[in-house]
C-alpha cells in the first residue's frame, strides 16, 4: 500500500499504525509492503504543491492508500485540502465515503449508556458543496460576495445509493436517507426521487427519509435505531463528526474512500484531521488510523487481518491505563500502540 503520513498528527498515528497492520497481515498469512510518499504541507512549502503533478498515476500503482491527515496553520486550508485529499478523491473518482461508528467496551463517551451503537454513514464523496464550483466577486469592496454551487447528479447519487442498499443488506437492512428537501428544492428533491427508485429495486431493505436537522437529534437520542445513513457530501461530513462522539470521539473514527466495483486503489484515513493543537506532543489516539487500516484489509480481501486489528484494539482499550487523553486517560500514542501491537503478535491465527 501507499502511505501518506501528511501533516500534524498524521505522521504520528501512521507510524504507530503501520507496524500493527504489518503484524496483522503476517498473522493472517500475508505480507504488507509499504511505500511512503512525502505529500502534504511540508512539500507544499518546499515546492508550491502538496503532491506532484503525476500523483494520481503514482497512486494507481497501488492496491490501496493509507492516509494520515492534511492541514497545518502556516498554509491556507484550501491549498492543502483541495491540493491533496479532495483532489485525490475526485481524480480517482472515489465516489463513496464510508464511516462506521460503533461502541467499544469500556471506552467512555458523552452518552450515559454508550453500548450497542453500530451504524455506518455512507457519504457521496465527489459532488455537493465540495464540487468546487463558484467564486468570489467584488473582492475587498462593500459589495463583496461568495458563490458556492452545490452539484447533485443522477450518476453520483445512484452510485452512493446502491452502495448503501447493498451494505444495508449485509447488516440490519435499513437505510435512512438524509436530505433537506423541505427547504432546498432542487438538489435534494433529486436525491429523494432517485433514492426512491433504488428503494423500489430493493424491497427487502427498509428505507426512510429523514431531514438532516431531525437526524442530528436522532443521532444523539436514538442512535441504536440507526443502521445505514445515506447522505450528501456536506451532510455526511458533518453528521459523521457528530456520530464519532458516540463512539468515544474523533480518535475512534475510521473511514474509507472508494469506488464501488472500481479497479483502482481506495484510500483509507482517520476522520480526525491534522489536530495541530496536539501535534508533536505524542498523545494522539492512533486507533482511528488502525481501524482505517482494518477497513483497508477488508477491502482487499484480507478480512482475517482486519479482524485481528479490531480484536487487538478492543483488548487494549479495556485497560483504562492505556487510554489516550481524548478518551480520558494519560497514555501516549506509543504506549497504546505498543499494547495493540503486542495483542496482535499474540493472536492465534484465525
Amino acid at each position: 500500500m501507499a502511505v501518506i503520513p501528511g501533516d500534524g498528527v498524521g505522521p504520528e498515528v501512521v507510524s504507530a499504525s503501520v507496524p500493527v497492520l504489518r503484524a496483522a497481515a503476517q498473522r493472517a498469512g500475508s505480507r504488507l509492503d509499504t511505500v511512503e510518499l512525502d505529500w502534504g504541507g511540508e512539500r507544499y512549502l518546499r515546492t508550491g504543491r502538496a503532491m506532484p503533478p503525476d500523483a494520481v498515476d503514482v497512486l494507481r500503482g497501488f492496491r490501496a492508500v493509507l492516509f494520515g491527515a492534511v492541514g497545518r496553520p502556516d498554509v491556507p486550508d484550501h491549498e492543502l485540502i483541495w491540493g491533496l485529499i479532495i483532489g485525490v478523491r475526485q481524480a480517482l473518482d472515489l465516489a463513496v465515503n464510508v464511516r462506521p461508528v460503533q461502541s467499544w467496551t469500556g471506552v467512555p463517551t458523552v452518552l450515559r449508556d454508550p453500548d450497542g451503537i453500530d451504524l455506518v454513514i455512507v457519504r457521496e464523496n465527489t459532488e455537493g458543496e465540495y464540487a468546487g464550483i463558484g467564486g468570489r466577486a467584488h473582492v475587498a469592496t462593500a459589495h463583496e460576495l461568495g458563490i458556492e454551487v452545490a452539484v447533485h447528479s443522477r450518476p453520483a447519487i445512484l452510485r452512493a445509493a446502491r452502495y448503501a442498499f447493498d451494505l444495508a443488506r449485509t447488516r440490519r437492512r435499513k437505510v435512512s436517507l438524509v436530505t433537506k428537501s423541505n427547504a432546498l428544492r432542487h438538489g435534494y428533491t433529486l436525491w429523494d426521487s432517485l433514492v426512491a427508485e433504488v428503494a423500489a429495486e430493493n424491497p427487502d431493505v427498509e428505507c426512510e427519509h429523514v431531514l438532516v436537522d431531525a437526524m442530528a437529534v436522532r443521532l444523539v437520542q436514538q442512535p441504536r435505531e440507526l443502521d445505514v445513513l445515506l447522505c450528501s457530501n456536506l451532510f455526511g461530513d458533518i453528521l459523521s463528526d457528530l456520530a464519532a462522539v458516540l463512539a468515544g470521539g474523533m480518535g475512534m473514527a475510521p473511514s474509507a474512500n472508494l469506488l464501488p466495483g472500481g479497479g483502482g486503489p481506495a484510500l483509507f484515513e482517520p476522520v480526525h484531521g491534522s489536530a495541530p493543537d496536539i501535534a508533536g506532543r505524542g498523545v494522539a489516539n492512533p486507533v482511528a488510523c488502525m481501524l482505517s487500516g482494518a477497513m483497508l484489509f477488508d477491502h482487499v480481501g484480507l478480512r482475517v487481518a482486519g479482524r485481528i486489528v479490531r480484536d487487538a484494539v478492543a483488548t487494549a482499550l479495556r485497560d483504562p491505563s492505556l487510554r489516550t487523553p481524548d478518551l480520558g486517560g494519560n497514555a501516549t500514542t506509543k504506549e497504546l500502540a505498543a499494547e495493540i501491537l503486542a495483542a496482535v503478535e499474540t493472536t492465534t491465527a484465525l
Side-chain angles (χ1 to χ4, degrees):
M1 68 181 182
V3 177
I4 307 174
D7 306 317
V9 299
E12 300 173 45
V13 298
V14 167
S15 64
S17 299
V18 169
V20 169
L21 301 180
R22 186 172 286 122
Q26 183 176 8
R27 298 300 291 179
S30 300
R31 190 183 78 219
L32 175 63
D33 296 324
T34 62
V35 175
E36 186 168 313
L37 304 172
D38 69 337
W39 302 354
E42 286 191 17
R43 186 186 183 98
Y44 176 86
L45 292 174
R46 192 171 68 247
T47 69
R49 297 181 64 117
M51 59 183 180
D54 65 343
V56 174
D57 291 332
V58 170
L59 293 181
R60 285 199 174 104
F62 294 91
R63 294 188 66 187
V65 183
L66 182 68
F67 181 80
V70 65
R72 50 186 293 162
D74 52 353
V75 179
D77 281 343
H78 66 275
E79 294 286 357
L80 294 181
I81 298 295
W82 281 95
L84 185 49
I85 186 61
I86 291 182
V88 168
R89 287 172 180 167
Q90 294 186 345
L92 290 176
D93 198 21
L94 301 177
V96 174
N97 187 263
V98 184
R99 298 188 171 189
V101 178
Q102 71 173 83
S103 304
W104 294 88
T105 301
V107 173
T109 77
V110 296
L111 299 178
R112 286 191 297 269
D113 178 15
D115 295 336
I117 295 172
D118 179 15
L119 61 93
V120 181
I121 294 177
V122 174
R123 167 190 174 194
E124 194 287 314
N125 208 33
T126 61
E127 292 188 343
E129 290 77 4
Y130 297 71
I133 298 174
R136 298 271 293 275
H138 309 299
V139 177
T141 74
H143 306 288
E144 186 169 6
L145 71 153
I147 300 171
E148 207 81 56
V149 178
V151 175
H152 305 279
S153 73
R154 173 180 283 267
I157 295 170
L158 288 176
R159 288 191 303 188
R162 287 173 176 145
Y163 181 89
F165 276 81
D166 288 344
L167 178 61
R169 188 170 289 107
T170 69
R171 295 171 47 85
R172 301 194 303 279
R173 295 178 180 263
K174 182 177 181 179
V175 171
S176 301
L177 170 63
V178 181
T179 71
K180 190 61 178 172
S181 52
N182 61 335
L184 304 177
R185 299 181 299 165
H186 306 299
Y188 285 108
T189 55
L190 178 62
W191 272 87
D192 290 348
S193 61
L194 293 179
V195 173
E197 292 179 13
V198 177
E201 298 168 0
N202 297 271
D204 58 324
V205 176
E206 178 186 352
C207 182
E208 64 172 350
H209 174 211
V210 185
L211 297 176
V212 64
D213 37 1
M215 181 55 76
V217 174
R218 284 182 61 185
L219 273 171
V220 175
Q221 292 185 335
Q222 300 166 313
R224 294 167 192 81
E225 295 182 0
L226 300 170
D227 185 16
V228 176
L229 278 61
L230 172 59
C231 305
S232 68
N233 209 335
L234 178 64
F235 294 165
D237 191 6
I238 295 169
L239 291 180
S240 60
D241 283 10
L242 171 61
V245 176
L246 307 179
M250 300 296 284
M252 301 297 296
S255 75
N257 302 264
L258 51 88
L259 175 61
L267 184 146
F268 301 82
E269 59 174 323
V271 173
H272 53 58
S274 61
D277 56 321
I278 61 169
R281 293 169 48 193
V283 295
N285 187 345
V287 166
C289 190
M290 294 177 185
L291 295 177
S292 298
M295 295 180 74
L296 185 156
F297 282 144
D298 292 345
H299 181 74
V300 300
L302 299 177
R303 293 189 174 276
V304 170
R307 195 179 316 132
I308 289 172
V309 172
R310 294 185 183 95
D311 288 348
V313 165
T315 297
L317 289 178
R318 290 191 187 101
D319 184 346
S321 71
L322 295 171
R323 297 175 193 157
T324 45
D326 61 305
L327 300 179
N330 297 302
T332 66
T333 306
K334 290 183 177 179
E335 287 169 342
L336 176 54
E339 190 65 25
I340 295 172
L341 178 59
V344 169
E345 291 178 334
T346 57
T347 297
T348 303
L350 304 179

